[in-house]
Amino acid sequence: MLYLVLGVAMKLKSKTYFIAGTDTDAGKTLSACGLLRRADKEGLRTLAVKPVAAGAVEVDGKLRNDDALNLSAAINQPLSYEQLNPVVFAPPIAPHIAAAKENRRITASQLAGYCRGVMMRPADMVLVEGAGGWRVPLSGRETMADLAVALQAPVILVVGLKLGCINHALLTVEAIQRDGLVLAGWIANQIDAHMSHAAENIDTLTQLIPAPCLGVVPFLDDVEGGRDASAFLNLSTLRV
């Protein structure tokens, strides 16, 4: 799993990374797609999984989620939609509530099985994108964190820069560490175009988060044009 940075061969120690966010709409998909496109530019074979998604529209009789479609467009290895997003619900609500409304049951082991099927395919980098924040429930007994623990993949945390983000980020970092997982890096994603003292917040996060910052993504409002964060991200700083 080699890639080039400034002409120097580098190696990813881990093949799979779990993409977590400080909250819903922190920018997990934007950041994940940026990382995938960055990896593609460095010559890496890429795949991604969005094991569960809530919020979809029907296309040709099948539910399709925008985040999953964006991930599908960002990877460079063939993968069917059903493999990339095996569990999808129409309403944009918490996964455990959506599942209950359809009398379905989601388990971390079930989702981990779907992920491992993709992780076994030929690739240099596989990104598994969670839903919502770290403790979003999958059921009355399990959360998204249980999936990350089952996969034992290093975590990349996406911090949505807005008022209150420092508290959200540090609590999430504590939870990741408490669950015994490695924080491989974090991304600062400016979701509030008018955030006051954004630079100072980033400096504070850099000092307090015990992992490298992979990049600072500015506010990108070109939704229809296919927002690309890859130019702002650096794979070489990944801890593992």
Side-chain angles (χ1 to χ4, degrees):
M1 294 178 286
L2 297 177
Y3 60 96
L4 294 177
V5 178
L6 300 178
V8 180
M10 306 292 288
K11 186 174 182 179
L12 291 174
K13 295 180 181 178
S14 178
K15 173 183 177 180
T16 302
Y17 296 88
F18 188 92
I19 306 296
T22 48
D23 201 351
T24 300
D25 294 329
K28 293 187 301 298
T29 304
L30 174 69
S31 299
C33 289
L35 290 169
L36 292 166
R37 292 192 173 101
R38 181 76 261 163
D40 176 68
K41 292 173 183 176
E42 304 295 349
L44 292 176
R45 299 168 298 171
T46 61
L47 287 170
V49 195
K50 180 80 173 177
V52 58
V57 296
E58 196 168 291
V59 178
D60 297 329
K62 297 180 180 180
L63 288 177
R64 293 292 184 260
N65 169 264
D66 280 344
D67 290 346
L69 290 173
N70 285 329
L71 290 170
S72 180
I75 61 177
N76 61 22
Q77 297 300 294
L79 194 68
S80 70
Y81 182 90
E82 288 72 22
Q83 290 171 305
L84 191 148
N85 180 208
V87 180
V88 58
F89 299 101
I93 56 180
H96 72 295
I97 298 175
K101 286 183 174 294
E102 295 188 15
N103 198 28
R104 295 171 62 182
R105 182 168 175 260
I106 309 173
T107 67
S109 62
Q110 170 198 24
L111 297 182
Y114 293 136
C115 293
R116 292 190 185 105
V118 176
M119 290 161 61
M120 291 174 62
R121 298 172 68 90
D124 301 303
M125 172 184 273
V126 180
L127 299 184
V128 178
E129 184 186 317
W134 188 250
R135 297 289 187 213
V136 164
L138 294 175
S139 66
R141 301 178 60 181
E142 294 184 313
T143 71
M144 190 61 60
D146 290 295
L147 169 60
V149 170
L151 295 175
Q152 285 294 295
V155 179
I156 296 174
L157 177 63
V158 180
V159 179
L161 295 180
K162 63 178 182 178
L163 185 64
C165 68
I166 295 175
N167 179 63
H168 293 164
L170 296 182
L171 287 175
T172 305
V173 169
E174 288 178 10
I176 292 169
Q177 294 176 324
R178 191 179 303 120
D179 289 336
L181 295 177
V182 174
L183 183 62
W186 65 281
I187 295 169
N189 178 44
Q190 190 156 359
I191 58 177
D192 180 358
H194 307 291
M195 181 184 181
S196 177
H197 296 85
E200 289 86 346
N201 277 262
I202 294 169
D203 287 343
T204 300
L205 289 166
T206 301
Q207 293 172 26
L208 297 178
I209 295 178
C213 179
L214 308 182
V216 177
V217 180
F219 182 77
L220 301 176
D221 60 358
D222 184 18
V223 179
E224 298 301 325
R227 298 177 297 171
D228 185 2
S230 63
F232 308 101
L233 301 174
N234 184 0
L235 293 176
S236 68
T237 57
L238 275 168
R239 171 174 287 177
V240 291

